[in-house]
Amino acid sequence: MTAPITMVDLQNQYLRIKPEIDAAIQRVLHSTAFIQGKEVANFEEKLEQFTSSKYVISCGNGTDALLAALIALGIGPGDEVITVPFTFIATVEAIALIGAKPVFVDVCEDSFNMNVQQLENAITPKTRAILPVHLYGQCADMEPILKIAKQHDIRVIEDACQAIGTKYTFSDGTVKQAGTIGDIGCTSFFPSKNLGCYGDGGAIMTQNSDLADKLRAICRHGSAQKYHHDYIGINSRLDTLQAAILDIKLKHLDEYITNRQNAAEYYYKALSAVKGLALPIRVPYSTHTFHQFTLKVKDSKRDALKQYLSEKGIPSMVYYPIPAHLQPAYRYLGYQEGDFPVSEQLCKEVLSLPMHTELTEDQLQYICETIVNCPL
């Protein structure tokens, strides 16, 4: 009998690095510098080195990172931002919160990421930015997105909240990390992320010094100098305890990514011949860090397979069951069922299997054998 299987195993991950984490937490407790302690700047510097980003500005969560990015680019009421409907709602929510209009293009059926072929047709005189999502740990096709953005003089904000450490290769061989490719990149340190803290956290990346200064001020109530407010800002800070934890976990991130990729390889080998399943593709221009291992279940059997796995002690999740354009909160945009058929179909087919750094071979074998022997 295998150990209980979970979608995410943060407990065993913590136990493996417990002495390092506990010591880091104790250092912060002894310092009592809980807000903007030295660990925050230290972590930002380490993340700059890891991602090769010139500037990293930490913040309270990934949603705030997106919000601050939009504010920093001066986007607001009357403006349009192009993104995808097949994503976690925070991508769309941030656009709506600043009063801009989310404009959708569909995703590709195989990669789950933005269909660049539809991008040109979505651009209008009101378009101010493109917001691609690197879903599940694999980059959207950024080179043509950047080309289109340059032609139309619009900005690119990357939602890299699920793709820390993912690498994109340009046609000339240049390699950049997710979040460092566009004008601004946003990431999340939600506990289940590939680099997760023990609460909420996020970061913003840019190569532009002026944008970096503005972003940092926006996240501090619009203030670069205490009690002097140059912008209308927000209160979004990564607290010192979380920064200390992330600094430790960042040292292990390459190992964490490798563990996820190894688990994915097991899934590929064991499940590739299973009828009715479509395993996630790996595009040639991006590595895959497998924040999720998401397959497609054909012939309307997704929910039955999910129930069957649950009965066998195997959790699974649907990321995401309803596309953004059909969510009640965004019906005001005027989209209808059928407008984005690929996203709508994916919401009926996708199923994410357990994926984390602590999966054992016994657990992977049990998951895969259960799926192979499923009577559906």
Side-chain angles (χ1 to χ4, degrees), residues 235-286:
N235 177 26
S236 186
R237 297 173 294 208
L238 182 69
D239 71 63
T240 311
L241 278 167
Q242 302 303 338
I245 291 163
L246 286 164
D247 184 54
I248 298 299
K249 294 187 73 176
L250 182 59
K251 299 173 186 177
H252 298 273
L253 182 54
D254 283 333
E255 174 194 354
Y256 291 163
I257 290 172
T258 298
N259 288 352
R260 288 173 176 271
Q261 290 171 334
N262 288 342
E265 286 297 335
Y266 195 103
Y267 282 138
Y268 279 115
K269 290 177 181 178
L271 301 177
S272 60
V274 178
K275 184 180 179 181
L277 296 186
L279 304 188
I281 73 153
R282 287 173 283 191
V283 296
Y285 48 78
S286 175

Side-chain angles (χ1 to χ4, degrees), residues 33-61:
F34 300 121
I35 302 294
Q36 294 297 287
K38 64 180 182 180
E39 286 80 2
V40 176
N42 181 60
F43 170 67
E44 290 176 345
E45 182 180 347
K46 297 287 182 59
L47 192 59
E48 288 169 356
Q49 295 169 1
F50 182 87
T51 61
S52 298
S53 180
K54 288 185 179 179
Y55 306 99
V56 167
I57 300 93
S58 60
C59 60
N61 53 70

Side-chain angles (χ1 to χ4, degrees), residues 53 59 73 75 103 111 116 118-119 128 140 152 155 232 235 264 271 309 328:
S53 180
C59 60
L73 294 177
I75 297 170
V103 173
S111 71
V116 182
Q118 299 182 12
L119 193 51
R128 294 288 307 284
H152 293 271
R155 300 299 191 101
I232 297 174
N235 177 26
L271 301 177
L309 292 176

Side-chain angles (χ1 to χ4, degrees), residues 83-331:
T83 190
V84 292
F86 189 63
T87 179
F88 180 59
I89 204 65
T91 314
V92 183
E93 184 177 53
I95 299 168
L97 280 171
I98 52 116
K101 179 184 178 181
V103 173
F104 296 121
V105 298
D106 215 341
V107 297
C108 297
E109 184 179 3
D110 51 3
S111 71
F112 308 132
N113 281 326
M114 180 178 281
N115 187 336
V116 182
Q117 303 302 317
Q118 299 182 12
L119 193 51
E120 284 274 9
N121 291 336
I123 295 173
T124 76
K126 296 181 179 180
T127 305
R128 294 288 307 284
I130 304 168
L131 208 172
V133 181
H134 304 316
L135 199 67
Y136 302 145
Q138 186 167 236
C139 282
D141 196 358
M142 292 301 296
E143 187 167 6
I145 291 173
L146 293 178
K147 182 179 178 180
I148 291 170
K150 185 176 181 180
Q151 289 172 346
H152 293 271
D153 192 26
I154 52 183
R155 300 299 191 101
V156 176
I157 303 169
E158 296 171 75
D159 183 337
C161 289
Q162 298 184 11
I164 189 80
T166 303
K167 296 176 181 177
Y168 181 90
T169 301
F170 286 81
S171 56
D172 65 359
T174 301
V175 178
K176 292 185 178 182
Q177 283 208 28
T180 71
I181 305 168
D183 294 283
I184 301 175
C186 304
T187 196
S188 166
F189 304 127
F190 187 78
S192 64
K193 293 294 195 290
N194 291 21
L195 178 62
C197 55
Y198 294 167
D200 271 320
I204 315 161
M205 293 164 273
T206 185
Q207 316 310 311
N208 183 297
S209 60
D210 291 336
L211 270 179
D213 290 342
K214 191 173 183 180
L215 285 161
R216 195 173 297 280
I218 286 168
C219 290
R220 304 333 183 232
H221 296 289
S223 172
Q225 180 184 352
K226 195 170 185 178
Y227 301 132
H228 294 74
H229 304 275
D230 300 310
Y231 313 102
I232 297 174
I234 58 177
N235 177 26
S236 186
R237 297 173 294 208
L238 182 69
D239 71 63
T240 311
L241 278 167
Q242 302 303 338
I245 291 163
L246 286 164
D247 184 54
I248 298 299
K249 294 187 73 176
L250 182 59
K251 299 173 186 177
H252 298 273
L253 182 54
D254 283 333
E255 174 194 354
Y256 291 163
I257 290 172
T258 298
N259 288 352
R260 288 173 176 271
Q261 290 171 334
N262 288 342
E265 286 297 335
Y266 195 103
Y267 282 138
Y268 279 115
K269 290 177 181 178
L271 301 177
S272 60
V274 178
K275 184 180 179 181
L277 296 186
L279 304 188
I281 73 153
R282 287 173 283 191
V283 296
Y285 48 78
S286 175
T287 61
H288 204 318
T289 53
F290 291 101
H291 174 58
Q292 303 293 346
F293 188 89
T294 302
L295 44 80
K296 292 183 290 185
V297 186
K298 300 296 186 177
D299 303 322
S300 302
K301 293 183 178 180
R302 192 266 311 276
D303 293 345
L305 176 59
K306 189 178 190 305
Q307 178 62 31
Y308 177 79
L309 292 176
S310 178
E311 291 169 358
K312 299 296 183 179
I314 300 170
S316 59
M317 290 293 292
V318 176
Y319 304 113
Y320 300 94
I322 306 172
H325 68 288
L326 298 182
Q327 294 282 358
Y330 298 95
R331 288 294 179 94

